[in-house]
C-alpha cells in the first residue's frame, strides 16, 4: 500500500456564542480536514487546528508531499522520521498541527486495515469513557455564574475559565461567581495564559485559593522554568503547565525543573497521536498526571485523541474541549455503545487537586436538564466514549463539510481570533503586575 495524495479542506464552524478571553476572541473555529489517499482505495482522515493560521497549515501540508507521497501509510515511525529529520522539522520540534493531522490519518488507515479501533492499537481500554471540561467564555460575573450552573446541570464536573485581566479584581469576581454558580463540588480550573509576573501570580492565586481552585494553568511564562518552579512552590493550588509543555522536549524540561504538578500534552503540537502517548509515558515515569490541551478541535480530532486517552492510565484530569461553544460539527458522531458513566465517576479525582473533588459534578441533570445535553457531540456526564468502529471510527458528513468549507471561503476572518474589546489596549502587554 502506498500513499497517493494528501487532500486538505479548510472549514469554518460557528460557535453558539463567541469565545472571549483577556486577549481577544473568535466567533467560530477554523480547522483543516485532511484526507490521505492510498493506491488500495483506503482513505485516512485527519484534522489540523488552524494554528497559527489555516494558510500556514496548508503550506506545511504542501511541503510534506516529498516525504509522504509513495510511502507506506502503515510505516508511521518511518514517515514521521522522514518529516522531522529530512524535512528539518526537528529544529522546531514538529510544532505544526499539519504534521499531526497526517500522522492521525495514517493511524486511521491502520485501524481500518486491521479492523480495529485506535483504542485497541494504542494499548486497549483502561477506561471506557474520557472526561472533558466545560469551557466558560468570558462574560459578566452574573452571566458566568449562570453558565457554570448550566455546565454542572449538563453533567460536567470541571469548569474552566480564563483569567489574566488587566484588573485582577475582575478575575476574582468571575471566579467567585463561577464557584457560586457551579456549587461547592465543581472543580474550578483557571488559565492565565502566562499573563502574570511571578509576584502577581503568587499574590492573585493566594486570594483565589479560598474558592477551591483545582488547577492554575500557566500563570507565568513557560519560558523561564526556574521561575515557574518558584511560583509553584508558593501558591496554594497545583500548577498546570501548558505553554511550557507543548512538546515532549518541553515536557522533559518541565519535569527536570520540577516546574508543574500536572502536564498539558497535545498531539497537534507534537507530531501526532503516538507522541501523545509518549508524552503521557514521560509524565507517568515522573509520577505526574496529564490532560490533553486543545487548540480548538472538531469531532474528528476530538475522537482521535479520545482513543489514546482511553488507552493511557495517567489522563486523570478533565481534558480540554469546545463542547460548550460549538454549534455544529462535521462528523457523523457514533452512538455511545457502552453504558454512560455515573456523574463524577469517569475519572477519579487526583488526590490533593481540590477540596470536594470526590463528588464533583454533583447532580448531573439537576434542574431537569438531561445529562450531556450540550454541543453537537454525544457528551454524557461530561464524557465521550471512544467509537468501536475501525480506525478513528467516525465519518465526515459531506453536506456539512461543503457548508463549512464555503463559510471558510466566504469569510474566514470572522472566525479567527481578533481583539474584540474596544476598551482594551490594542497592544497586549505581558507580564501584568
Amino acid at each position: 500500500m502506498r500513499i497517493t495524495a494528501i487532500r486538505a479542506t479548510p472549514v469554518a464552524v460557528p460557535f453558539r456564542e463567541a469565545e472571549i478571553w483577556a486577549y481577544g476572541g473568535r466567533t467560530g473555529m477554523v480547522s483543516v480536514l485532511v484526507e490521505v489517499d492510498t493506491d488500495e482505495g483506503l482513505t485516512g482522515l485527519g484534522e489540523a487546528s488552524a494554528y497559527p493560521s489555516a494558510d500556514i497549515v496548508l503550506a506545511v501540508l504542501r511541503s510534506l508531499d516529498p516525504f509522504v507521497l509513495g510511502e507506506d501509510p502503515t510505516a508511521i515511525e518511518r514517515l514521521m522520521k522522514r518529516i522531522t529529520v529530512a524535512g528539518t522539522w526537528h529544529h522546531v520540534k514538529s510544532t505544526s498541527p499539519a504534521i499531526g493531522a497526517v500522522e492521525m490519518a495514517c493511524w486511521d488507515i491502520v485501524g481500518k486495515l486491521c479492523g480495529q479501533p485506535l483504542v485497541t492499537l494504542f494499548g486497549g481500554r483502561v477506561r471506557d469513557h474520557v472526561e472533558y471540561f466545560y469551557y466558560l467564555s468570558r462574560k459578566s460575573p452574573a452571566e458566568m455564574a449562570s453558565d457554570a450552573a448550566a455546565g454542572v446541570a449538563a453533567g460536567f464536573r470541571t469548569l474552566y475559565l480564563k483569567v489574566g485581566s488587566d484588573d485582577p479584581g475582575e478575575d476574582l469576581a468571575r471566579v467567585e461567581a463561577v464557584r457560586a454558580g457551579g456549587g461547592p463540588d465543581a472543580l474550578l480550573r483557571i488559565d492565565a495564559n502566562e499573563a502574570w509576573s511571578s509576584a502577581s501570580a503568587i499574590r492573585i492565586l493566594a486570594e483565589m485559593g479560598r474558592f477551591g481552585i483545582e488547577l492554575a494553568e500557566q500563570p507565568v511564562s513557560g519560558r523561564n522554568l526556574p521561575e515557574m518552579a518558584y511560583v509553584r512552590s508558593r501558591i496554594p493550588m497545583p500548577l498546570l503547565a501548558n505553554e511550557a509543555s507543548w512538546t515532549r522536549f518541553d515536557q522533559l524540561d518541565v519535569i527536570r525543573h520540577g516546574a508543574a504538578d500536572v502536564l498539558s500534552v497535545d498531539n497537534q503540537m507534537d507530531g501526532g497521536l503516538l507522541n501523545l502517548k509518549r508524552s503521557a509515558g514521560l509524565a507517568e515515569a515522573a509520577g505526574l498526571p496529564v490532560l490533553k490541551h486543545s487548540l480548538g478541535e472538531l469531532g474528528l480530532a476530538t475522537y482521535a485523541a479520545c482513543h489514546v486517552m482511553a488507552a493511557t492510565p495517567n489522563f486523570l484530569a478533565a481534558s480540554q474541549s469546545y463542547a460548550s461553544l460549538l454549534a455544529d460539527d462535521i462528523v457523523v458522531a457514533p452512538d455511545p455503545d457502552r453504558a454512560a458513566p455515573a456523574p463524577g465517576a469517569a475519572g477519579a479525582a487526583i488526590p490533593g487537586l481540590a477540596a470536594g473533588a470526590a463528588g464533583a459534578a454533583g447532580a448531573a441533570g439537576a434542574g431537569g436538564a438531561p445529562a450531556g445535553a450540550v454541543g453537537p457531540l454525544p457528551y454524557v456526564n461530561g464524557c465521550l466514549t471512544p467509537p468501536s468502529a475501525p480506525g478513528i471510527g467516525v465519518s465526515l458528513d459531506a453536506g456539512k463539510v461543503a457548508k463549512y468549507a464555503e463559510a471558510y471561503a466566504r469569510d474566514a476572518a470572522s472566525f479567527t481570533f481578533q481583539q474584540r474589546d474596544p476598551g482594551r489596549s490594542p497592544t497586549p502587554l505581558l507580564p501584568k503586575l
Side-chain angles (χ1 to χ4, degrees), residues 206-224:
E207 292 187 59
M208 286 185 180
R210 68 182 187 273
F211 301 121
I213 304 300
E214 176 223 24
L215 294 171
E217 184 170 340
Q218 205 61 60
V220 295
S221 173
R223 296 158 185 81
N224 186 345

